[in-house]
Amino acid sequence: MSKVEVYLEPSQLNNLQNILNQSELGIHVLFDNELIHNVFKKPYDEDEFFNPENLKKVQDELIHLIQLKTLTQKQDYIQTLDEDSKHRIVRAYFYIIENNIRAQKKQSH
């Protein structure tokens, strides 16, 4: 596994945290409902998603997404991606949300 260092400004961290907080409430501001629906209606292989080549792609896409400063820039970037990349980033996003929720539940006990 590679070590990745990414510098984020405080405003970028706050922006990301706000997006994640909204997502945990079911408000997904980065993606339209149609894209989310299309991603999850397609069968997919979890092993394929977590293969090293795919993880490298999604890592690069997420780093680029996170470094964009505004919500509009993030949404515009997602729109420029091809279908496979959009689906990959949506799946990664939902894995992140799921892991955050699990981590919060563990901390509350």
Side-chain angles (χ1 to χ4, degrees), residues 5-20:
E5 291 186 28
V6 178
Y7 174 76
L8 296 176
E9 297 173 7
S11 63
Q12 290 170 304
L13 284 173
N14 288 337
N15 180 278
L16 178 60
Q17 189 59 54
N18 287 336
I19 290 169
L20 292 174

Side-chain angles (χ1 to χ4, degrees), residues 30-65:
L30 289 177
F31 312 104
D32 63 43
N33 290 336
E34 183 179 350
L35 174 57
I36 295 169
H37 174 76
N38 289 339
V39 169
F40 288 103
K41 78 177 184 184
K42 282 180 124 178
Y44 92 110
D45 182 349
E46 203 167 271
D47 290 337
E48 186 178 316
F49 182 82
F50 286 104
N51 79 46
E53 182 181 323
N54 196 55
L55 287 177
K56 173 67 174 132
K57 288 177 186 175
V58 77
Q59 175 181 298
D60 292 344
E61 293 159 351
L62 284 171
I63 288 170
H64 184 82
L65 179 71

Side-chain angles (χ1 to χ4, degrees), residues 75-102:
Q75 291 167 329
D76 289 347
Y77 168 67
I78 292 164
Q79 291 305 313
T80 67
L81 298 173
D82 62 49
E83 184 177 309
D84 286 343
S85 296
K86 285 180 187 176
H87 285 220
R88 191 171 35 247
I89 208 165
V90 168
R91 286 200 182 277
Y93 165 86
F94 277 94
Y95 279 120
I96 291 167
I97 300 307
E98 187 176 318
N99 288 335
N100 280 346
I101 291 170
R102 282 189 188 142

